[in-house]
């Protein structure tokens, strides 16, 4: 007997732009994994299309625009009757979770987190506090290696953490990109480990050998300028890190690429200093493959970093901080260098740029790391198996998650009434 095709509804905070952000790239990897199973996929979002939106329809994925606080979604999801609903970012679970539960109670509810936003925001605040308290712009080692308990204490009283972690509890399964974040949630926040599934960036190993040391030039940095950690890294490079590199390599150039380049970023461009703000890269892998060293001096952030996986794919050694490398190499040698200060970042970057032997060793480390931790075939299969297991055992899974049931009861009622009030208000104030 032919098995019915699994129907998946994805509710996205934005439409995917895989060439603009790693988060969108991860969503596309998940969608491609579903397509390989022959699943029927509908992607919906209340957002407008961005400048670099992926053409999902060309892949056979149905695209549907939806509205916030509008009962038209109830009709839409009732007619679609999905087997799995994937919320892309916890805000979408807040907005639509109660409607999904009401109209498709048997659908498996999955949250794709990309990173823990509450962790990223808490770390950003810690950086701001550090900059106010200490004018030293070189050594940030105290920010880079906190114990999980310190991270918990930093997050626990924030509204964002309470909202985000409540959404994790309300879902049947949560896709986590970082093992560090899984440990934080389980060991400090007390989430059941069975609610969390490790799903890192999923890539196919490169077939052709990467460009050689002598065929490359310049430093490169890539990142969406709308993402606060990337913008902070650009500012730190401009003011501190890059001048230290130029002291040792007076002719060096840094090429910075990023989607949605704001005027404040363009204003930093200075060819005389070798600091080139290049706007958006049409092909990030091509740009990365031409560079000799990738710079990613991140002072805060969460999740794992797509730009650093891209660097590995291109055989480009990277120089980053413990924040950049977090959750990415599990104790394996880093394919480049990890540094705690601007001085060390600059020294390591210069060393890799000049030392072909060390550069080649870093390139080999990248190949090893990709093969051990990021293969699409491995993680794609594990994701499908986990989803099927959750579907088969859904009643037991939900019975064992009383906290999630309790949170859905209270939070969804309040969200439902607020949404209905907003819809009624909009109806009464709309022109006739």
């Amino acid at each position: 007997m032919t098995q019915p095709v699994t129907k998946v509804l994805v509710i996205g905070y934005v439409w995917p732009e895989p060439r603009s952000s790693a988060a969108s790239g991860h969503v596309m990897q998940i969608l491609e994994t579903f397509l390989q199973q022959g699943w029927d996929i509908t992607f919906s979002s209340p957002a407008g299309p961005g400048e670099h939106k992926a053409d999902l329809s060309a892949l056979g994925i149905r695209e549907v625009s939806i509205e916030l606080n509008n009962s038209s979604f109830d009709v839409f999801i009732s007619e679609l009757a999905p087997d799995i609903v994937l919320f892309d970012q916890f805000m979408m679970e807040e907005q639509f979770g109660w409607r999904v539960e009401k109209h498709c109670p048997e659908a498996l509810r999955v949250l794709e987190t990309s990173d823990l936003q509450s962790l990223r925001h808490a770390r950003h605040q810690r950086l701001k506090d550090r900059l106010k308290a200490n004018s030293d712009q070189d050594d940030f080692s105290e920010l880079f290696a906190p114990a999980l308990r310190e991270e918990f204490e930093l997050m626990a009283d924030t509204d964002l953490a309470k909202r985000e972690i409540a959404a994790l509890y309300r879902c049947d399964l949560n896709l986590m990109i970082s093992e560090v974040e899984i440990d934080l949630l389980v060991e400090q926040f007390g989430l059941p480990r069975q609610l969390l599934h490790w799903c890192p960036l999923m890539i196919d190993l490169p077939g052709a050998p990467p460009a050689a040391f002598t065929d490359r030039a310049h430093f490169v940095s890539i990142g969406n300028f709308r993402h606060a950690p990337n913008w902070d890294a650009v500012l730190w490079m401009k003011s501190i890190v890059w001048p230290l590199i130029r002291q040792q390599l007076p002719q060096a150039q840094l090429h910075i690429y990023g989607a949605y380049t704001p005027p404040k970023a363009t204003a930093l461009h200075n060819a005389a200093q070798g600091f080139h703000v290049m706007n958006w890269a049409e092909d990030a892998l091509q740009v990365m493959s031409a560079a000799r060293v990738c710079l990613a001096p991140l002072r805060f952030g969460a999740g794992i970093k797509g730009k650093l996986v891209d660097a590995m794919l291109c055989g480009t050694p990277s120089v980053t901080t413990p924040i950049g490398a977090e959750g990415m190499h599990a104790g394996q040698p880093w394919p480049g260098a990890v540094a705690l200060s601007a001085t060390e970042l600059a020294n390591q970057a210069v060393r890799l740029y000049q030392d072909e032997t060390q550069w080649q060793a870093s390139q080999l480390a990248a190949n090893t790391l990709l093969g051990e931790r990021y293969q699409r075939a491995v993680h794609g299969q594990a994701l499908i198996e986990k989803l099927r297991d959750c579907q088969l055992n859904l009643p037991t899974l939900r019975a064992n998650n009383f906290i999630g049931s309790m949170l859905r009861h209270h939070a969804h009622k309040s969200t439902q009434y607020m949404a209905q009030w907003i819809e009624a208000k909009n109806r009464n104030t709309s022109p006739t």
Side-chain angles (χ1 to χ4, degrees):
M1 181 180 295
T2 303
Q3 294 293 322
V5 174
T6 298
K7 297 173 69 174
V8 180
L9 170 64
V10 182
I11 304 176
Y13 182 70
V14 295
W15 295 94
E17 295 190 10
R19 293 186 295 172
S20 299
S21 75
S24 283
H26 193 231
V27 170
M28 291 300 297
Q29 291 163 5
I30 292 170
L31 293 176
E32 289 162 1
T33 300
F34 294 167
L35 286 172
Q36 289 173 358
Q37 299 298 312
W39 291 0
D40 181 280
I41 307 171
T42 300
F43 194 103
S44 61
S45 177
E51 183 179 346
H52 307 299
K53 172 185 171 295
D55 186 358
L56 300 179
S57 60
L59 299 174
I61 298 173
R62 192 178 302 105
E63 298 182 2
V64 178
S65 294
I66 53 178
E67 292 185 52
L68 299 172
N69 305 309
N70 195 308
S71 56
S72 60
F73 179 85
D74 303 346
V75 177
F76 160 65
I77 195 170
S78 296
E79 293 177 348
L80 184 63
D83 303 296
I84 299 173
V85 176
L86 178 71
F87 303 101
D88 176 30
Q89 300 196 27
F90 80 90
M91 296 84 76
M92 294 298 93
E93 189 281 334
E94 285 185 327
Q95 288 286 339
F96 294 100
W98 69 271
R99 295 184 185 274
V100 172
E101 182 175 19
K102 180 178 180 180
H103 297 285
C104 295
E106 300 306 313
L108 182 71
R109 297 186 292 271
V110 183
L111 175 58
E112 200 284 309
T113 61
S114 290
D115 67 2
L116 271 182
Q117 295 188 35
S118 51
L119 175 60
R120 170 161 41 89
H121 282 256
R123 286 174 168 175
H124 194 184
Q125 186 59 52
R126 180 169 59 195
L127 173 62
K128 292 176 182 177
D129 294 341
R130 155 66 173 77
L131 292 173
K132 288 179 182 178
N134 187 342
S135 60
D136 174 39
Q137 286 278 334
D138 182 61
D139 187 356
F140 289 87
S141 55
E142 74 270 24
L143 301 184
F144 293 149
L148 291 180
R149 187 64 189 178
E150 293 178 53
E151 301 280 32
F152 169 77
E153 292 172 352
L154 195 67
M155 300 165 62
D157 286 336
T158 65
D159 289 342
L160 189 60
K162 293 169 185 175
R163 290 173 53 201
E164 185 170 29
I165 291 169
L168 298 176
Y169 266 113
R170 288 193 296 263
C171 288
D172 301 311
L173 184 68
N174 300 278
L175 307 185
M176 307 300 302
I177 204 167
S178 167
E179 293 166 304
V180 172
E181 293 177 2
I182 291 176
D183 291 341
L184 175 64
L185 291 170
V186 172
E187 296 174 17
Q188 301 301 322
F189 286 94
L191 265 81
R193 192 173 289 272
Q194 63 266 26
L195 290 180
L196 309 173
H197 176 72
W198 181 46
C199 183
L201 295 174
M202 301 181 285
I203 55 92
D204 298 313
L205 298 179
F213 177 87
T214 53
D215 294 331
R216 298 170 180 247
H218 311 315
F219 295 86
V220 69
S221 184
I222 297 181
N224 191 322
F225 286 108
R226 289 179 174 175
H227 192 51
N230 293 335
W231 175 238
D232 175 76
V234 170
L235 293 177
W236 197 28
M237 282 190 291
K238 174 68 174 179
S239 61
I240 307 296
V241 179
W242 185 244
L244 291 172
I245 293 175
R246 286 275 288 193
Q247 286 176 13
Q248 300 180 63
L249 299 173
Q251 302 305 313
Q253 293 185 33
L254 170 61
H255 297 169
I256 300 175
Y257 295 85
Y260 301 105
T261 310
K264 64 181 180 180
T266 305
L268 299 179
H269 178 89
N270 190 319
Q273 296 174 355
F275 196 89
H276 299 266
V277 178
M278 309 292 287
N279 209 326
W280 183 62
E282 180 73 27
D283 186 337
L285 295 181
Q286 183 180 47
V287 166
M288 187 69 77
S289 295
R292 188 173 290 178
V293 175
C294 171
L295 297 180
L298 296 159
R299 294 191 289 188
F300 73 98
I304 63 175
K305 314 305 179 292
K307 62 177 73 61
L308 297 177
V309 171
D310 285 349
M312 295 181 213
L313 279 168
C314 298
T316 307
S318 58
V319 179
T320 188
T321 65
I323 291 290
E326 181 181 84
M328 295 197 67
H329 60 126
Q332 296 293 321
W334 183 255
V338 179
L340 302 175
S341 67
T343 298
E344 190 181 356
L345 283 162
N347 290 340
Q348 294 289 353
V350 170
R351 179 181 64 85
L352 278 167
Y353 197 85
Q354 295 180 313
D355 189 331
E356 185 172 358
T357 300
Q358 290 294 321
W359 190 90
Q360 289 175 341
S362 295
Q363 194 174 78
L364 288 174
N367 292 336
T368 301
L369 200 53
L370 288 174
E372 291 185 356
R373 290 183 64 82
Y374 297 102
Q375 288 199 58
R376 183 194 300 265
V378 173
H379 293 291
Q381 180 180 349
L383 174 59
I384 297 302
E385 290 177 356
K386 184 65 175 181
L387 292 172
R388 285 175 171 159
D389 181 69
C390 288
Q391 286 181 294
L392 288 172
N393 298 285
L394 190 55
T396 301
L397 191 68
R398 289 179 176 172
N400 291 336
N401 183 17
F402 176 77
I403 292 177
S405 176
M406 178 178 63
L407 289 170
R408 289 198 306 274
H409 173 77
H410 290 288
H412 283 174
K413 288 298 183 185
S414 60
T415 304
Q416 173 183 346
Y417 296 145
M418 176 60 74
Q420 290 172 338
W421 178 82
I422 292 173
E423 182 176 9
K425 180 175 180 292
N426 291 340
R427 190 184 305 116
N428 292 333
T429 58
S430 61
T432 57

